[in-house]
Amino acid sequence: MAAMPASAVEPIKITRDDVALNLTGAVEIHRNQGSTFQVSTAPGPDGIVRRIEVEAMNQGSAGDWAVFALANTTDQQLDRLIVAPHYRLVGSGILWPDLGSTRISAITPSEGFALDRQASEDADVFLVTLNPNTVVTFVTEMASPRMPQLYLWETEAYKDQVNSFTLYRGIVIGIAGLLALFLTILFVVKGTSMFPATSALAWAVLTYVSVDFGFLNRLIEVAPGNEQIWRAGTEVALAVTLVVFLFTYLNLNRWHGHFAYGAVIWIFGLMLLAGVAVFDPVIASGIARMSMAAAAGIGLLLIAYLTFRGYDRAIMLIPSWLMVLAWLAGAWLTITGMLNNDVVQPALGGGLVLIVLLIGFTVMQHALAGTGMHQGLLSDLERQALAVIGSGDIVWDWDVLRDRVVTRPDVAPLLGLAPASLQGPARNWLPVLHSDDRDMFRTTLDVVLEHRRGRVSQDLRLRGADGHYRWFSLKARPVIGSDSEVIRCVGTLMEVTDQKKAEERLLHDAVHDNLTGLPNRELFINRLDTIISVAKTEPTVRPTVFVIDIDRFGEVNDALGVAAGDTILLTIARRLHRLLKPSDALSRLFGDQFALMLLSEQEPARIAAVAEAIRQAVRAPVTFAKREIVLTPSIGLISWSATQNAAEDMLKDAELAMHQAKRFGGDRIEPFRPAFRSVGTDRLTLEADLRRAIERNELSLAYQPIIRLEDRSLAGFEALLRWEHPRRGAISPSDFIPVAEGCGLIVQLGLLSMTRAAEDLAEWQKHLRDTPIFVSVNLSSRQLLRRDLVSDVRSVIARSGLQPRHFRLELTESLVMDSPEQSAHVLGKLKQLGIGLSIDDFGTGYSSLSYLTRFPFDTIKIDKSFLDDESPKRGVLLKSMVAMAHDLGLSVVAEGVSDEEDARLLREMGCEYAQSFLFGPPIPAEIVQKILREQANTAQPVKA
């Protein structure tokens, strides 16, 4: 059934001078009109409009028709060619491009016979003859739905135009072919990845221009309709080779494996697209065009980034890539129809060849790197490598152009890895490198490549198959080719694990204590200084410093030996460390002195609780060689304030507080007070004066009477050390005894006290007839733990000629129980000498009374605090203590009796002796002798 007739068209007038007319805009397209088409002709010279009907000659016609009219206004017959190109890049589109096809099946004029088709491989060409002064309407049966261009050519002009483009196309194809062949030969000579990528791009360009210029049809027979497949395939090849070239030339896989993964996925997708081109070339071509645009954009970003970092290859690629961008911009303007002429399509083909030519020049300098000279140079390197191998080092050789690292002998088996697993691209080393060494390794090699000078000198750690790291020292230098590019990097790789471990041990030992492993004073001060700098800006950070000194540790170390001392220090260090939280720090300053920095607690009550926990941790008994050793700490502490700037000053203030705690008798927690700074100076002065006092015999003894409660007669005396300073006057024992203990003079003072007391007692006994009188001398901790104590007492008694039973030594409970096993041994030896032993301050120290059965005491002295107790249970407690002592065979001395009522009460309880100012103050030896003479002359009990 015929379609509805179409309206008449406006004729295009032609003259003899018209060489080529573009009929595209004058053509009317009628779609889906069926196999028979009716149309009104253009008005003839007589003005009459006629109607014609045309039947499709192609049985598979889609019913698309094109109508145009020509008017010969001359008086001569004109022969012209109607030309419709099969493929035209102009206006072909991006996403769904028109890849070309046969445009016209037949052309029927309104008068005369159908037009004859002329032979042509790349266009539909029909010869038309126009009679003078005629108007002819042409009905065109379309072979495809689109007609991008329709021209009317003068016959000879069209032939000249075809011949001229044929020459141009031949030249372009020849250059492209020679360039592809040259780059392929270059690839064979220099087999690095950059050259096959470049040659592949050249072959893709050659194939593309061959298809675009119609040259492929002359080489192979292309079936009708397959041109679209070939055209889409060549565009996909261009997209693939462009990505491959960019990736390999910039060597993006050297360090970053994710670049390689992305590129492989991209290339694999484009290769799949080549298969799609067989079934749907339009989709494949559209995706390929978008891929080329994406590759150009990504390449521009990469080149800009690497250029900014000074990468030479990126800098050299800038001109070529700018040309790629210019070509893509021109192609975009063309396929979108913004550029519309017959020259732009062959010009773009020639532009592709120029791009490859420029890229070829860029990579040629890498190819012409002086192969012969390099071979001689590498021979020298090989000889040097043999010498290095003879020395036992590993040769490390990185072929930069091939990006291949080789070690001789292979380092992989040394790490327990598979042989040759580290021989390959330099990035293969990154997974086995320590995370802290990877950036340095990459940066070092990149700097050497970019600057083409310098050395590689780096210590790095490689992970073995067992997960442990080994240290290696890499020393290498670049080998420069004739083009001033780095072609190799050769050096030695030597294992230095043992040296590194030795260095780490030395570094650790330099700032840590060898015994406990704790940080030393220098490291502690360094950390404290850092915390103080933070505390100045962070109000929540407020460090507290503790200095802990172990009381009487020197005596224990002297008595039991260094092994016992080390064991005690290790035990105390572990106990203190268990009290810490992650933010706190513990250090051993020296000897038996520790420092602790507390950051986890800020409240004063919590800080005090931590100090008490430290005290209790040190006081817990330490077992050594089946002995229990009890030590006490002297703790000084200071909390940070805004007025403190230096860690050293803060630590010194804490030490001053610690010394003050020792001055008060030890086993004490003392917060710092500014007044301690002057006390520290007084202490040094006092120590110096005390040493001079011993030399100048400024120390003396005073004797406090001990009376029998039964008849108030003198039973004995307690010897008390006194110091009369020539300038400062009398100095209290509570001031100079802690100083003597701290500086080690207490042993001399103790021996002095025993010697003078024994001599004075011996002198008194000459005038006493048979009156029994004893003298008690206090014993210090250092004296008790000294191995020479027994021999000293024996020597003192022997030199004085004293009867041993009249000589007594007094010890406190805490002193005895600090080292019970040692104390039991020493006291037993002293008891064998026949002297008396008294336990002083009974009831105030050790909580267990079992020690009374373990030690050979014969007297206990009840502390004054029990007599001062005003509770109703005081009498019961005193009576129990006296009764217990008697049951154990011990005599009792009550200290601090304040009135006669207490004396009477004690006498009724059975207490034998009393000592206090009620019965007499401490008196010099001369007065004691006078009293004893009077007592001997009267033979009566004398009240002191």
Side-chain angles (χ1 to χ4, degrees), residues 577-725:
H577 196 272
R578 284 195 292 267
L579 299 176
L580 302 183
K581 293 183 179 179
S583 58
D584 305 329
L586 179 65
S587 172
R588 183 186 178 196
L589 300 181
F590 56 83
D592 59 340
Q593 195 170 112
F594 297 86
L596 188 149
M597 179 172 59
L598 184 69
L599 289 174
S600 57
E601 302 294 348
Q602 307 291 331
E603 297 297 328
R606 295 297 304 161
I607 295 174
V610 172
E612 181 60 28
I614 293 172
R615 178 171 172 267
Q616 295 300 328
V618 176
R619 284 172 56 88
V622 178
T623 302
F624 179 79
K626 299 182 180 180
R627 298 180 180 181
E628 285 191 350
I629 303 170
V630 179
L631 296 172
T632 58
S634 294
I635 304 173
L637 65 92
I638 182 173
S639 294
W640 181 83
S641 62
T643 59
Q644 294 162 334
N645 295 320
E648 185 73 39
D649 295 339
M650 191 173 178
L651 183 60
K652 287 181 179 178
D653 289 344
E655 289 176 332
L656 288 176
M658 179 272 296
H659 287 304
Q660 187 68 15
K662 292 188 76 68
R663 189 176 298 111
F664 289 149
D667 194 15
R668 184 183 180 93
I669 302 169
E670 194 69 38
F672 172 77
R673 292 188 290 274
F676 292 169
R677 294 193 178 104
S678 60
V679 172
T681 305
D682 292 343
R683 179 187 177 91
L684 295 175
T685 304
L686 194 62
E687 178 182 337
D689 290 348
L690 182 58
R691 293 183 184 275
R692 286 193 295 269
I694 296 175
E695 297 172 358
R696 298 172 183 177
N697 202 23
E698 295 176 359
L699 297 166
S700 61
L701 290 181
Y703 298 92
Q704 186 170 29
I706 300 174
I707 61 118
R708 296 182 182 91
L709 287 175
E710 182 179 3
D711 56 5
R712 301 296 180 94
S713 62
L714 273 173
F717 297 90
E718 180 180 357
L720 303 173
L721 197 60
R722 293 291 184 262
W723 179 17
E724 189 70 23
H725 196 280

Side-chain angles (χ1 to χ4, degrees), residues 296-314:
I298 294 174
L300 178 63
L301 296 177
L302 287 173
I303 292 171
Y305 170 73
L306 296 175
T307 299
F308 179 76
R309 296 189 61 186
Y311 189 36
D312 287 342
R313 287 193 180 185

Side-chain angles (χ1 to χ4, degrees), residues 270-580:
L270 291 175
M271 293 178 68
L272 291 178
L273 196 63
V276 174
V278 177
F279 303 98
D280 196 334
V282 173
I283 292 179
S285 176
I287 297 176
R289 292 180 178 185
M290 289 188 292
S291 173
M292 284 190 284
I298 294 174
L300 178 63
L301 296 177
L302 287 173
I303 292 171
Y305 170 73
L306 296 175
T307 299
F308 179 76
R309 296 189 61 186
Y311 189 36
D312 287 342
R313 287 193 180 185
I315 296 173
M316 295 170 59
L317 192 61
I318 290 176
S320 299
W321 210 254
L322 290 177
M323 195 167 181
V324 170
L325 294 175
W327 184 88
L328 286 175
W332 178 75
L333 293 174
T334 301
I335 62 180
T336 56
M338 297 182 185
L339 284 178
N340 187 2
N341 56 64
D342 294 334
V343 178
V344 64
Q345 182 172 338
L348 288 175
L352 272 180
V353 178
L354 290 178
I355 290 173
V356 176
L357 185 62
L358 185 57
I359 290 176
F361 283 131
T362 302
V363 300
M364 275 176 58
Q365 60 179 332
H366 298 283
L368 304 177
T371 305
M373 183 188 68
H374 294 161
Q375 182 62 40
L377 184 59
L378 290 177
S379 297
D380 292 339
L381 290 175
E382 290 171 357
R383 286 192 293 272
Q384 295 175 12
L386 290 175
V388 173
I389 292 175
S391 67
D393 293 341
I394 299 172
V395 175
W396 188 85
D397 182 9
W398 180 29
D399 186 342
V400 177
L401 299 180
R402 297 176 182 270
D403 189 18
R404 178 175 176 80
V405 176
V406 176
T407 56
R408 291 288 184 271
D410 190 2
V411 73
L414 186 62
L415 298 171
L417 303 176
S421 58
L422 293 180
Q423 297 190 7
R427 61 185 173 87
N428 286 358
W429 285 60
L430 296 182
V432 299
L433 276 170
H434 194 280
S435 58
D436 295 340
D437 300 332
R438 292 172 189 167
D439 289 340
M440 179 62 71
F441 181 70
R442 286 187 294 209
T443 303
T444 302
L445 295 187
D446 284 341
V447 167
V448 169
L449 293 183
E450 292 168 8
H451 293 84
R452 299 181 292 276
R453 63 178 182 273
R455 299 178 63 90
V456 178
S457 181
Q458 181 185 2
D459 292 339
L460 45 85
R461 287 161 286 186
L462 299 178
R463 187 182 66 248
D466 56 358
H468 292 86
Y469 285 92
R470 288 181 155 187
W471 280 96
F472 289 85
S473 177
L474 175 61
K475 296 182 183 298
R477 64 185 307 164
V479 179
I480 309 300
S482 61
D483 60 346
S484 299
E485 288 290 329
V486 177
I487 61 172
R488 299 184 90 88
C489 195
V490 184
T492 61
L493 188 69
M494 181 172 61
E495 184 178 4
V496 291
T497 304
D498 293 339
Q499 295 91 316
K500 281 293 182 180
K501 288 182 177 179
E503 291 176 6
E504 291 173 358
R505 284 195 299 269
L506 289 174
L507 181 61
H508 181 275
D509 293 345
V511 293
H512 287 80
D513 174 53
N514 291 331
L515 176 63
T516 62
L518 296 174
N520 62 12
R521 184 185 185 94
E522 288 74 16
L523 184 56
F524 181 82
I525 290 177
N526 180 267
R527 291 178 176 176
L528 180 59
D529 199 25
T530 302
I531 295 299
I532 288 176
S533 63
V534 175
K536 292 178 181 178
T537 58
E538 294 290 338
T540 58
V541 178
R542 190 169 180 267
T544 298
V545 175
F546 295 81
V547 173
I548 306 148
D549 187 87
I550 312 303
D551 300 330
R552 299 182 302 279
F553 177 77
E555 290 86 340
V556 175
N557 203 39
D558 293 340
L560 301 182
V562 176
D566 290 348
T567 301
I568 293 171
L569 289 176
L570 283 170
T571 302
I572 292 175
R574 285 194 293 267
R575 291 177 181 175
L576 295 177
H577 196 272
R578 284 195 292 267
L579 299 176
L580 302 183

